[in-house]
Amino acid sequence: METVDQLKGLGPKSREMLAQIGITTAAQLRAADAFDVYAQLQQVMPNVSLNMLYALIGAQEDLPWQQIKQERKTEILLRLDDMGLAPRRK
């Protein structure tokens, strides 16, 4: 069974974070909405980075998280805003 840290852009720390919300396999992550997973992570780890969301999407789509950030940042931030999860400006 493929673990989440075998997916592109995710490692042992990501695996530990995802395990806290019950996601332990790559199949579970692929079946989930990355935004919902990020929202769940924020509930248990309020300081989770926006890069984690980029990494989740990248892992699901087999793309580097940096590419997701560069190409889709605005779209992602707008969806987070719609969900009430947009990062606060410092």
Side-chain angles (χ1 to χ4, degrees), residues 28-77:
Q28 288 173 309
L29 181 58
R30 286 188 186 112
D33 180 285
F35 290 88
D36 291 339
V37 172
Y38 181 71
Q40 290 175 49
L41 287 171
Q42 276 198 321
Q43 289 182 354
V44 295
M45 291 164 275
N47 294 327
V48 67
S49 167
L50 187 55
N51 287 342
M52 182 61 171
L53 178 55
Y54 301 139
L56 293 170
I57 295 169
Q60 289 177 329
E61 298 179 11
D62 197 31
L63 295 169
W65 71 266
Q66 298 92 335
Q67 182 179 345
I68 300 297
K69 180 178 180 179
Q70 181 179 11
E71 295 177 359
R72 296 171 48 193
K73 184 175 183 175
T74 301
E75 161 199 339
I76 289 167
L77 290 173

